[in-house]
Amino acid sequence: MTGVRRSSTHFGSTQVPLSKSIMNRLPAIGPALVVVAALGLAGCSQEKVEVKDIVRPVKVVEIAKANDTRELSYSGSVRARTEMNLGFRINGKITERLVDIGQRVKPGDVLARIDPADYDLSVNSAEASLEAAERQVETTGLARRRAEQLFAKNFASKSQLEQATLSYDQAVATRNSARSALDQAKNQVLYTDLKADRNGIVTSVAADIGQVVGSGTPVVTVAVDGEKEVLIAVPEMDIAQFKPGKNVKASFWSDDALTLDGKVREVAGSADQQSRTFAVRVSLPNDPRVLLGMTANIEASAANSSPQSVSIPLSALAQKDGQQIVWTVDRNGETVHARPIKVAEFTADGVHVAEGLSPGDVVVAAGTQFMAENLKVKLTGDAVQQSASADDDGDAVKRVR
């Protein structure tokens, strides 16, 4: 063609266009270029890649020595040592109630009254009987003196004198009986008023106006001023730990700063029929801050009767080859190791371990699924001793890096 000239190169005696030559050689040149590039990169950098061990953060608890004693805590209410359930000494219908709950009373104060009408009639009847008895004494007395005079003049026999004397003595006895009956009737009139005989405060009212009560039926309860105590209910499993004279601590919900030394004063001899608990009374020292009805907490210590298991968080429990294990941390080697354990029971605060753990053991508390034998860890200063006894909770955990 005119005006067009193709470029070419000479390889021996053959002329090949330049573009076609390059296209034919690319498949053979490509692998060689890759090899040359790789060798060039290796020559430029002689650094080695270092593989670092992964130190996995975990949480641990340290097993502490189980306490030789355990703490007992029971709630109760403050009561007066002496509480009087006051009632009338006679039967009757209540016509007045003169006190309310919370009111202070002193000796002689009238608390309630019953209708005295029938007892006033009894007084009138007793007075009439006494009057008749008095007249009978006078009559028999005259008869006896007459018999004595006639006997002295030999106008009457000795038997007549003895009969007159016997009648007089009988009349005197009847008069004395009538006099006692009158005193009793007057006392019953006085008993229509229910009175307080000691200083105290009314804590309850069991009867009201219009109610007919029998003798001895509680009408008003008065808490006597003086020593106060706390009444608690103790189950049979712990009642052996409470003996009269045992020292305890008393704290009060209304005042966290108020703590008093108490002493067990009385332990019930039998359990309550409904609650099956024993009533225990703890005497308190006199303190004006302690008021009747306040809620108190009684704390006492008791010796452990059997070896106490340790408690670990549920997250610390793992399984390996069908056996329950925990992962313990070796402080020196900073590695973890599987240790078989014997579980006593599962509770709300974790797992109680009967065998396999000793005081001082550090147990992985979380992340057990990532643990492996001899896995490297690093303990820091945060891994302080934490109790994992049965009295502790799941918060006793520290981080290991």
Side-chain angles (χ1 to χ4, degrees):
M1 290 186 299
T2 307
V4 178
R5 186 174 181 177
R6 295 184 178 180
S7 299
S8 62
T9 182
H10 295 271
F11 294 94
S13 59
T14 306
Q15 293 185 356
V16 181
L18 179 60
S19 58
K20 186 175 181 180
S21 174
I22 294 174
M23 293 298 295
N24 291 335
R25 292 174 180 269
L26 278 178
I29 296 174
L33 291 175
V34 173
V35 174
V36 173
L39 291 177
L41 290 175
C44 295
S45 177
Q46 298 296 330
E47 294 181 359
K48 295 183 179 180
V49 178
E50 296 181 0
V51 179
K52 296 183 178 179
D53 293 337
I54 298 176
V55 180
R56 182 176 297 277
V58 292
K59 292 183 179 180
V60 298
V61 290
E62 181 174 345
I63 308 301
K65 182 180 180 181
N67 295 326
D68 295 331
T69 61
R70 57 192 176 98
E71 294 298 325
L72 303 177
S73 179
Y74 293 99
S75 295
S77 59
V78 178
R79 307 179 65 174
R81 176 170 181 174
T82 303
E83 291 185 346
M84 301 184 300
N85 294 320
L86 302 180
F88 291 100
R89 299 172 66 174
I90 55 176
N91 305 326
K93 179 181 179 179
I94 299 177
T95 58
E96 292 182 81
R97 178 172 64 83
L98 305 176
V99 294
D100 295 315
I101 295 177
Q103 183 174 337
R104 297 199 62 83
V105 296
K106 59 182 183 297
D109 288 350
V110 178
L111 309 179
R113 287 193 177 98
I114 61 175
D115 187 1
D118 292 340
Y119 299 100
D120 289 337
L121 294 175
S122 297
V123 170
N124 296 335
S125 177
E127 288 177 344
S129 297
L130 178 59
E131 184 67 22
E134 291 285 359
R135 302 289 79 80
Q136 185 66 25
V137 169
E138 293 177 1
T139 301
T140 56
L142 293 173
R144 188 190 65 170
R145 285 195 297 272
R146 176 75 179 198
E148 290 175 348
Q149 294 173 358
L150 293 175
F151 179 75
K153 297 178 180 181
N154 293 323
F155 291 136
S157 64
K158 186 177 181 179
S159 61
Q160 291 177 333
L161 176 60
E162 291 176 347
Q163 181 67 34
T165 303
L166 184 61
S167 297
Y168 174 77
D169 293 340
Q170 184 177 1
V172 171
T174 302
R175 181 195 63 186
N176 294 339
S177 176
R179 187 173 293 166
S180 298
L182 177 60
D183 292 340
Q184 184 177 8
K186 290 180 178 179
N187 287 339
Q188 288 183 329
V189 172
L190 296 177
Y191 296 156
T192 58
D193 290 344
L194 180 61
K195 298 180 179 181
D197 56 0
R198 300 178 67 178
N199 293 320
I201 184 171
V202 177
T203 57
S204 68
V205 176
D208 214 332
I209 297 175
Q211 184 173 343
V212 177
V213 295
S215 60
T217 301
V219 176
V220 177
T221 301
V222 175
V224 179
D225 290 345
E227 185 178 353
K228 299 180 180 68
E229 62 185 17
V230 178
L231 176 63
I232 60 175
V234 180
E236 57 184 279
M237 66 182 67
D238 290 331
I239 192 60
Q241 305 297 333
F242 290 87
K243 301 293 183 183
K246 181 182 179 67
N247 295 321
V248 297
K249 289 287 186 181
S251 57
F252 303 88
W253 289 5
S254 61
D255 188 352
D256 294 337
L258 179 57
T259 302
L260 300 177
D261 294 327
K263 182 175 294 186
V264 176
R265 182 181 68 83
E266 179 182 280
V267 179
S270 61
D272 182 79
Q273 293 294 330
Q274 296 181 348
S275 64
R276 306 306 304 167
T277 57
F278 292 80
V280 176
R281 294 179 178 269
V282 177
S283 61
L284 300 175
N286 188 19
D287 193 305
R289 295 174 294 177
V290 179
L291 305 178
L292 296 178
M294 290 177 63
T295 301
N297 190 59
I298 301 299
E299 297 179 354
S301 60
N304 284 326
S305 58
S306 59
Q308 187 179 21
S309 61
V310 298
S311 178
I312 60 174
L314 180 61
S315 58
L317 188 64
Q319 282 196 349
K320 183 178 182 181
D321 298 331
Q323 188 176 16
Q324 291 175 329
I325 65 166
V326 294
W327 292 96
T328 60
V329 180
D330 182 3
R331 291 179 181 272
N332 298 326
E334 298 183 344
T335 55
V336 295
H337 306 278
R339 180 181 297 182
I341 60 170
K342 181 179 180 181
V343 175
E345 60 177 340
F346 293 88
T347 63
D349 60 350
V351 182
H352 286 189
V353 179
E355 298 177 3
L357 293 176
S358 303
D361 290 340
V362 178
V363 177
V364 176
T368 56
Q369 66 272 26
F370 303 110
M371 297 296 99
E373 190 68 23
N374 293 321
L375 179 67
K376 293 286 292 184
V377 294
K378 182 179 180 181
L379 290 174
T380 65
D382 293 334
V384 297
Q385 188 180 49
Q386 294 290 333
S387 174
S389 63
D391 294 334
D392 294 323
D393 54 25
D395 294 336
V397 293
K398 295 293 180 181
R399 182 175 296 276
V400 179
R401 296 185 180 277

